[in-house]
Amino acid sequence: MATRAINTNVGSEVRENKGSTWRPFTELLATVGEVASMYFGSPGSITSLDADHRSNLSAKGKTDNDVDLMGLR
């Protein structure tokens, strides 16, 4: 959001403060990171709830999966 600096002098112009020049780049990186996290599952992702995935796990593996899913580790 751009802010405007208003000078009270008569005949002065209004200047916009557009923030950091790095802002579009950092927003792009944040967007790319969010998209990548949707496609590449991490521990605790929705793929850990898949019945085929859980059926191949031991009791300890299921517990570890549940802990990761709840974000406790």
Side-chain angles (χ1 to χ4, degrees):
M1 175 185 256
T3 58
R4 295 182 179 210
I6 300 175
N7 192 348
T8 57
N9 296 334
V10 177
S12 66
E13 63 186 43
V14 175
R15 297 182 194 160
E16 288 191 23
N17 180 8
K18 295 182 182 175
S20 173
T21 57
W22 288 97
R23 184 174 180 199
F25 181 70
T26 56
E27 288 178 353
L28 176 66
L29 284 179
T31 303
V32 169
E34 290 176 13
V35 170
S37 68
M38 290 186 329
Y39 289 104
F40 301 105
S42 60
S45 67
I46 197 71
T47 57
S48 63
L49 293 175
D50 186 29
D52 292 335
H53 176 73
R54 289 185 67 85
S55 66
N56 295 329
L57 296 175
S58 64
K60 182 177 181 343
K62 288 179 184 176
T63 303
D64 289 343
N65 241 357
D66 293 342
V67 168
D68 288 339
L69 185 63
M70 290 185 281
L72 298 175
R73 192 178 338 186

